[in-house]
Amino acid sequence: MAISRTRLDRFISEHCQVNRKAVRLYLAQQRITVDGIIIKNVAHIVDKFSLICMDDKVLQANEARYIMLHKPIGVVSATKDEQHKTVIDLLPYSDKRELHIVGRLDLNTSGLVLLTNDSRWSEALTQPESKVEKVYQVTLKNPLTSDYIQAFEQGMYFEYEGITTLPAKLRILTSHSAEVVLLEGRYHQIKRMFGRFRNPVVALHRSAIGQLSLDYSLKVGESRLLTSQEVAMINNNS
């Protein structure tokens, strides 16, 4: 049974198929614990990752998972695809089908992808008001000029959506490469922004989300669990 946030009495009632009166009795008898603590309050709030036990029998013990993947080119950011390998296919974890992607990359973009089973964490990272920076390394077909910097800072109007992009930072690295920092993730945004200069993107790679940088000890296609410090680092961005 997967829940987001709900009252403990509702969880016990639905999980054990008993009425609320029986649940109140269980609580009064001190038979139920949440995260190791005896709970008597029927209105106590639990979530998907609360450890819930009754009479020392585990009713729920979901573990929050936070994963970093070094995404290759040619792999889609999807849970299923009939034509291409997906980022989920690359993962070695037995519970990978329960994960979802936090901030997708398109087929021809490589770099940092985050995956989790914690929807509140992913929503906090992706909602526009969070303004979490995403850092990209871009290789262009044609040379760059300083005009690009101002244009990215001002934002660009996308007629199809009827919106103006948030200010973006552009730092020229070489004549044909730049670092771009976005606060949002519009459809093919970077390619479309450089498209205003008729300058095709040759390669695109995401190197960081907020304060969390891709671990380059991971080979392309490899993944690992985030450390508790890295999860906290991302939480501090949201």
Side-chain angles (χ1 to χ4, degrees):
M1 176 182 176
I3 59 172
S4 50
R5 284 172 65 81
T6 191
R7 284 170 48 130
L8 179 59
D9 60 343
R10 180 182 176 188
F11 172 87
I12 298 296
S13 176
E14 293 180 359
H15 188 92
C16 298
Q17 297 294 297
V18 296
N19 59 38
R20 301 287 180 94
K21 184 176 179 181
V23 176
R24 287 195 292 272
L25 178 61
Y26 298 158
L27 291 165
Q29 292 171 335
Q30 301 185 24
R31 296 171 60 187
I32 297 170
T33 63
V34 177
D35 297 327
I37 299 170
I38 294 171
I39 302 297
K40 301 178 185 178
N41 180 10
V42 295
H44 183 83
I45 299 297
V46 294
D47 64 24
K48 180 179 178 180
F49 304 113
S50 300
L51 173 60
I52 304 172
C53 301
M54 185 167 76
D55 298 333
D56 296 325
K57 178 183 176 182
V58 176
L59 304 183
Q60 175 181 269
N62 297 322
E63 181 183 359
R65 305 277 266 172
Y66 308 97
I67 293 166
M68 168 192 297
L69 169 72
H70 190 167
K71 178 193 171 298
I73 293 169
V75 172
V76 294
S77 293
T79 52
K80 276 185 180 181
D81 190 275
E82 306 221 343
Q83 292 182 304
H84 302 282
K85 185 174 282 190
T86 73
V87 293
I88 297 293
D89 294 330
L90 298 176
L91 301 177
Y93 311 104
S94 59
D95 60 349
K96 63 185 181 180
R97 296 296 168 189
E98 298 174 16
L99 303 172
H100 60 271
I101 302 151
V102 187
R104 298 167 185 267
L105 294 177
D106 67 30
L107 182 70
N108 296 312
T109 302
S110 62
L112 175 60
V113 168
L114 298 176
L115 301 104
T116 186
N117 58 356
D118 184 348
S119 58
R120 283 192 293 165
W121 186 76
S122 58
E123 286 167 10
L125 279 178
T126 54
Q127 58 192 4
E129 54 267 31
S130 296
K131 293 191 166 124
V132 177
E133 292 185 339
K134 275 79 71 177
V135 184
Y136 297 83
Q137 315 303 316
V138 191
T139 305
L140 288 309
K141 182 177 180 181
N142 304 318
L144 293 155
T145 68
S146 58
D147 294 340
Y148 287 69
I149 298 172
Q150 185 177 4
F152 274 63
E153 282 180 350
Q154 289 176 340
M156 295 184 186
Y157 181 71
F158 286 176
E159 186 175 355
Y160 181 76
E161 294 97 330
I163 57 96
T164 299
T165 63
L166 292 174
K169 300 174 191 172
L170 183 144
R171 183 165 65 94
I172 296 174
L173 302 176
T174 69
S175 62
H176 289 72
S177 67
E179 178 183 86
V180 174
V181 181
L182 298 182
L183 290 171
E184 55 191 338
R186 303 287 178 182
Y187 178 71
H188 289 317
Q189 182 173 344
I190 289 178
K191 293 178 181 177
R192 293 165 72 188
M193 292 178 84
F194 282 107
R196 294 292 172 87
F197 293 89
R198 293 186 172 82
N199 196 349
V201 171
V202 175
L204 184 58
H205 177 86
R206 183 160 67 197
S207 57
I209 297 175
Q211 298 178 54
L212 180 63
S213 296
L214 177 61
D215 179 353
Y216 285 103
S217 70
L218 291 174
K219 295 176 183 176
V220 175
E222 289 185 341
S223 61
R224 67 164 173 81
L225 297 174
L226 295 186
T227 66
S228 57
Q229 291 86 357
E230 287 170 333
V231 174
M233 186 186 298
I234 283 285
N235 285 338
N236 290 337
N237 285 285
S238 57

